[in-house]
């Protein structure tokens, strides 16, 4: 049996090019043997849950770097920050406005808090990715759901789409609604980085960022930023102590702190070089690719160009086939595969060599392809599944597994999603329409891993037996 440690060491020495998270790309930062400083809360080393010393100082420094009023280190990823933020802003059994393309953690918060969810549906863009959430959508939803106490959306999205957080905050605050921004993919939206402005600087009440995704920090590390004017600051702190481990890793906390110091000492310069190289790479894809295509969404508020999305839509291969060729022949590993595009995460830690190999590989693959009309209709999405009950109600009901085709018209009892990105295609309590079934079958045929189905590819439904 191969030991995980041995497999990781071997992989670390391999020539695989990492266009995926974490943002350090297994290279940028230096660290001693982690065992040599893996400690617990001993004298002189403070306590994450009651920070008053060295951890407090490090968090204050991070707040300064991120231009935040109050920042806390997270060692359980953005997930625990999102749970804490939503719990702070809602009552048990309350109501939440949320973008339908939120990460599953938001749905988990809704389940645990027994919330009634009201969805904002971003538009499907001609490029085949979801667009920004608009102020108009937010205003209309707040008007329709006056009982909702909070709003959460993802900006930037996994694909890099940014929403107009400043205007959204103005509209929500005018009605007393708390704004939480899942900026898990935007930890690099730092001052002078050249990337879009962070939601922290747009007045959001709580902003959560995964440092591990786009900055040179270890996996699981993240930050939560709290606005000084947020009335439930104390509640966020309270829930953080509940949703985070009581044994926070000093190795992880040191990694967040190191990334912050790195940004101050070397980051701005490094980001300038990174943006220049990235610009050249994107330009080379734009001019060089004939069948594949670099996606550059136009009708969005702002866009994070660190995400390189290569569409296979007009070629004779699928996203999965492109991904496989890149891994098997060129040792290039992407972050995410969809039916019609592949997402590559670039970061400040990428080398010239990575970009050269990426460009050469894509141009070579592209050369061998042919133009081909799209294999699927423009409705390559799930539509808007109708919520028949709250998530928390559905998960408590009796369940039964059914083959996909027989499940039409039933109510889903599980979360069905592709990971990454981890956005539920169906949540417990939503009606399984014909369109959902067709789309899930399409994903399975395209070779995508659909989670939430049984091994036999059945789906769990809410089961109500009628006795006559
Ligand atoms: C948009 C979004 N939010 C939240 C999360 C959860 O972040 P973490 O893995 O740091 O807990 C993810 C993870 O991929 C994500 O993509």
């Amino acid at each position: 049996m191969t030991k995980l440690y041995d497999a990781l060491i071997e992989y670390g020495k391999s020539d695989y090019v990492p266009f995926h998270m974490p943002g350090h790309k297994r290279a940028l930062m230096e660290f001693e043997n982690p065992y040599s400083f893996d400690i617990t809360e001993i004298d002189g080393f403070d306590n994450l849950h009651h920070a008053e010393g060295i951890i407090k100082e490090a968090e204050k420094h991070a707040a300064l770097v991120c231009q935040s009023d109050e920042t806390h280190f997270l060692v359980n990823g953005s997930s625990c920050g999102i749970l804490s933020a939503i719990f702070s802003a809602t009552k048990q059994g309350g109501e939440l406005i949320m973008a339908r393309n939120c990460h599953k953690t938001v749905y988990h918060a809704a389940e645990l808090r027994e919330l009634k969810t009201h969805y904002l549906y971003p538009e499907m863009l001609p490029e085949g990715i979801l667009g920004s959430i608009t102020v108009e959508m937010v205003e209309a939803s707040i008007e329709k759901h006056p009982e909702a106490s909070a709003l959460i959306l993802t900006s930037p999205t996994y694909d890099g789409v940014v929403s107009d957080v400043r205007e959204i905050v103005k509209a929500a605050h005018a009605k007393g609604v708390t704004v939480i921004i899942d900026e898990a993919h935007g930890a690099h939206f730092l001052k002078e980085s050249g990337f879009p402005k962070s939601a922290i600087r747009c007045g959001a009440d709580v902003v959560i960022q995964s440092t591990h995704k786009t900055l040179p920090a270890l996996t699981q590390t993240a930050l939560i930023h709290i606005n000084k004017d947020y009335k439930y600051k104390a509640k966020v702190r309270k829930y953080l102590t509940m949703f985070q481990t009581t044994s926070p890793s000093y190795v992880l906390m040191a990694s967040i702190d190191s990334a912050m110091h790195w940004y101050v000492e070397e980051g701005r310069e490094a980001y300038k070089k990174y943006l220049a190289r990235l610009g050249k790479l994107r330009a080379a894809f734009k001019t060089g690719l004939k069948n594949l295509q670099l996606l550059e969404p136009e009708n969005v508020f702002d866009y994070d160009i660190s995400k390189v999305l290569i569409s296979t839509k007009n070629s004779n291969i699928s996203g999965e086939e492109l991904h496989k060729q890149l891994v098997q022949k060129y040792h290039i590993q992407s972050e995410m595969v969809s039916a019609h595009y592949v997402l590559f995460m670039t970061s400040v830690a990428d080398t010239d060599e990575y970009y050269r190999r990426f460009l050469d590989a894509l141009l070579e693959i592209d050369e061998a392809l042919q133009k081909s009309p799209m294999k699927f209709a423009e409705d390559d999405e799930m539509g808007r599944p109708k919520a028949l009950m709250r998530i928390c109600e559905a998960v408590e009901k009796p369940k039964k597994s059914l083959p996909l085709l027989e499940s039409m018209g039933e109510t889903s009892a599980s979360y069905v999603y592709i990971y990454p990105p981890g956005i539920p295609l169906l949540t417990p309590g939503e009606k399984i329409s014909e369109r959902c079934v067709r789309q899930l079958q399409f994903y399975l045929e395209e070779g995508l891993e659909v989670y939430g189905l049984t091994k036999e590819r059945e789906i769990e439904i809410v089961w109500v037996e009628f006795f006559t």
Side-chain angles (χ1 to χ4, degrees), residues 207-385:
V207 179
I208 304 103
Q209 301 176 321
S210 291
T211 38
H212 70 95
K213 295 197 199 302
T214 58
L215 286 178
L218 289 174
T219 298
Q220 272 184 231
T221 61
L223 295 169
I224 186 163
H225 306 282
I226 312 173
N227 193 310
K228 64 177 179 348
D229 298 326
Y230 180 42
K231 60 181 169 191
Y232 299 122
K233 289 196 287 274
K235 279 191 172 179
V236 181
R237 296 180 203 122
K238 177 184 110 169
Y239 285 114
L240 284 176
T241 67
M242 294 183 174
F243 288 119
Q244 293 222 78
T245 171
T246 53
S247 308
S249 160
Y250 277 83
V251 176
L252 295 184
M253 291 189 279
S255 169
I256 305 176
D257 192 33
S258 298
M260 293 292 119
H261 281 277
W262 168 85
Y263 187 73
V264 174
E265 287 151 24
E266 304 168 39
R268 292 183 188 88
E269 227 10 72
Y271 268 89
K272 263 190 212 133
K273 289 186 190 148
Y274 163 40
L275 273 175
R277 272 188 293 143
L278 183 58
K280 278 191 201 151
L281 179 76
R282 295 180 71 95
F285 284 144
K286 264 194 272 185
T287 52
L289 295 175
K290 292 185 300 224
N291 301 302
L292 299 170
Q293 189 197 354
L294 174 73
L295 290 183
E296 300 216 289
E298 281 177 7
N299 271 330
V300 292
F301 174 72
D302 207 347
Y303 187 64
D304 172 10
I305 60 162
S306 74
K307 299 287 173 70
V308 174
L309 273 58
I310 301 292
S311 169
T312 57
K313 219 169 184 170
N314 299 320
S315 77
N316 55 332
I317 56 168
S318 66
E320 183 62 24
E321 283 158 347
L322 174 61
H323 162 77
K324 276 198 184 128
Q325 280 198 41
L326 283 167
V327 175
Q328 289 164 5
K329 186 163 174 203
Y330 301 95
H331 286 191
I332 291 174
Q333 182 72 51
S334 63
E335 165 66 24
M336 185 183 90
V337 184
S338 93
H340 62 91
Y341 67 91
V342 182
L343 189 158
F344 303 86
M345 278 178 77
T346 67
S347 99
V348 68
D350 292 325
T351 62
D352 286 335
E353 166 76 3
Y354 290 173
Y355 283 8
R356 189 191 53 73
R357 282 179 55 189
F358 187 21
L359 182 61
D360 289 352
L362 272 198
L363 292 181
E364 194 172 286
I365 292 173
D366 185 65
E367 192 62 39
L369 297 180
Q370 281 149 22
K371 279 237 177 319
S372 163
M374 283 192 305
K375 278 183 257 135
F376 46 92
E378 61 281 1
D379 64 339
D380 57 330
E381 46 164 338
M382 300 291 285
R384 296 178 179 184

Side-chain angles (χ1 to χ4, degrees), residues 21 76-79 82 103 105 154 158 182 184-185 210 212-213 419 421:
M21 52 183 95
N76 295 83
S78 282
S79 301
I82 291 170
H103 185 261
T105 303
T154 309
Y158 219 108
D182 175 354
H185 286 269
S210 291
H212 70 95
K213 295 197 199 302
Y419 201 92

